């Protein structure tokens, strides 16, 4: 029974994405909504991304210094491991999990409210492709802005590590700098960006599906927001395993 329900949900999702990815009827209006969604979903998330990244970078640096550094290891090990953790997992995967909670619930509740108040039905009656008009700008806007959020996250995490070096005196800043530069592989940056593009699509499309498919009243809107966050988070974790294996 569960498998049948999952297959039905997946089929409905594919049908909705088929309606979504069609040519917009009015490109000028689409572009305005696209820019607005980039601002609402991405730019408005910069604050929480920078705040969390700064303190996580500081905490990672402290933990690496306390638990890994030893007389038998080079002094730059703390900076090296901090950089690898930020680039390979935190700035892409963990940050996208956090954004799934903020952005995903926002998208699902917005579309769910429009469905409950029959605004989507009104668009359909007027002959407008409501899926393309409402969902496509969110998906493209999220995919566009996500790489910048990942770069900001990694950079701010490194600033947090330097804060522990200068303010907390956990380790000499020169050792941290050497560790951050040691054996740097530029592909890790690209790998983080590529993973974030897939995660951005998952967050925006899955949340849009749950919001667009709401049936009932305001209580169902809340349930749809919760389901959107949970499903997006699980799919991000699953896809992270495959993408890491594929891109490494």
């Amino acid at each position: 029974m569960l498998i049948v329900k999952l297959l039905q949900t997946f089929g409905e999702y594919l049908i909705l994405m088929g309606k979504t990815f069609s040519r917009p009827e009015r490109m000028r209006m689409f572009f305005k909504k696209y820019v607005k969604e980039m601002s609402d979903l991405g730019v408005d998330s910069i604050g929480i991304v920078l705040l969390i990244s700064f303190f996580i970078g500081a905490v990672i640096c402290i933990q690496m210094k306390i638990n890994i550094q030893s007389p038998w290891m080079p002094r730059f090990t703390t900076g090296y491991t901090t950089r690898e953790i930020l680039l390979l997992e935190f700035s892409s995967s963990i940050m996208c999990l956090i954004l799934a909670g903020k952005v995903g619930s926002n998208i699902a509740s917005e579309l769910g409210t429009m469905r409950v108040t029959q605004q989507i039905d009104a668009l359909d009656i007027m002959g407008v492709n409501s899926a393309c008009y409402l969902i496509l700008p969110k998906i493209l806007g999220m995919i566009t802005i996500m790489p910048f959020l990942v770069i900001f996250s990694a950079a701010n995490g490194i600033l947090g590590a330097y804060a522990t070096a200068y303010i907390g005196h956990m380790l000499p800043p020169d050792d941290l700098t050497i560790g951050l530069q040691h054996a740097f592989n530029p592909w890790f940056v690209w790998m983080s960006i590529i993973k974030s593009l897939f995660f951005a699509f998952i967050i925006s499309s899955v949340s849009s599906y749950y919001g667009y498919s709401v049936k009932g009243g305001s209580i169902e809107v809340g349930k749809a927001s919760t389901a959107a966050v949970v499903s997006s988070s699980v799919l991000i974790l699953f896809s992270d395993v495959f993408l890491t294996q594929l891109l490494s």
Side-chain angles (χ1 to χ4, degrees):
M1 198 65 184
L2 178 61
I3 297 177
V4 174
K5 187 177 180 180
L6 288 175
L7 290 175
Q8 181 182 353
T9 302
F10 183 62
E12 293 173 352
Y13 169 79
L14 292 180
I15 292 172
L16 179 61
M17 290 300 105
K19 292 173 57 180
T20 300
F21 287 96
S22 59
R23 189 179 184 277
E25 297 172 8
R26 298 180 62 181
M27 291 301 298
R28 186 174 180 182
M29 183 176 293
F30 168 78
F31 184 74
K32 288 176 65 176
K33 283 188 67 64
Y34 166 66
V35 174
K36 182 179 182 299
E37 296 298 344
M38 275 200 296
S39 174
D40 292 345
L41 302 178
V43 177
D44 290 349
S45 301
I46 290 178
I48 189 172
V49 167
L50 296 183
L51 181 67
I52 293 175
S53 300
F54 182 86
F55 287 104
I56 290 296
V59 169
I60 290 174
C61 185
I62 293 171
Q63 291 286 4
M64 293 302 104
K65 172 64 179 176
I66 293 174
N67 296 297
I68 290 182
Q69 193 76 52
S70 73
W72 303 100
M73 301 181 71
R75 292 189 299 177
F76 63 74
T77 304
T78 299
Y80 174 75
T81 52
T82 300
R83 184 198 73 202
E84 297 297 275
I85 292 173
L86 286 172
L87 283 181
L88 292 176
E89 277 306 312
F90 176 78
S91 294
S92 58
S93 308
I94 308 302
M95 186 53 62
C96 287
L97 283 174
I98 296 169
L99 291 176
K102 178 184 182 299
V103 176
S105 61
N106 182 19
I107 293 174
S109 59
E110 178 187 340
L111 292 177
T113 303
M114 294 183 70
R115 172 64 76 183
V116 170
T117 56
Q118 299 181 343
Q119 297 178 52
I120 295 178
D121 296 333
L123 289 172
D124 292 332
I125 291 172
M126 290 188 294
V128 177
N129 184 351
S130 58
C132 177
Y133 178 75
L134 296 173
I135 299 175
L136 188 59
K138 298 181 186 298
I139 293 176
L140 294 183
M142 194 66 185
I143 290 175
T144 304
I145 203 69
M146 186 61 82
F148 297 98
L149 295 178
V150 168
I151 293 171
F152 292 155
S153 173
N156 217 50
I158 292 173
L159 286 179
Y162 272 109
T164 63
Y166 280 102
I167 301 174
H169 304 292
M170 291 296 298
L171 73 164
D174 291 340
D175 291 344
L176 179 62
T177 302
I178 294 172
L180 292 172
Q181 295 175 347
H182 177 72
F184 175 66
N185 186 355
W187 171 245
F188 289 165
V189 178
W190 288 108
M191 188 168 75
S192 183
I193 291 174
I194 293 170
K195 286 166 63 176
S196 72
L197 295 176
F198 283 91
F199 299 154
F201 176 79
I202 290 172
I203 293 170
S204 54
S205 63
V206 171
S207 301
S208 296
Y209 163 74
Y210 278 100
Y212 190 88
S213 305
V214 166
K215 297 176 182 177
S218 56
I219 296 177
E220 279 69 24
V221 174
K223 292 180 179 178
S225 298
T226 303
V229 173
V230 172
S231 299
S232 299
S233 301
V234 171
L235 288 172
I236 286 173
L237 292 173
F238 271 112
S239 58
D240 184 31
V241 175
F242 293 106
L243 288 171
T244 302
Q245 183 69 26
L246 183 65
L247 298 173
S248 296

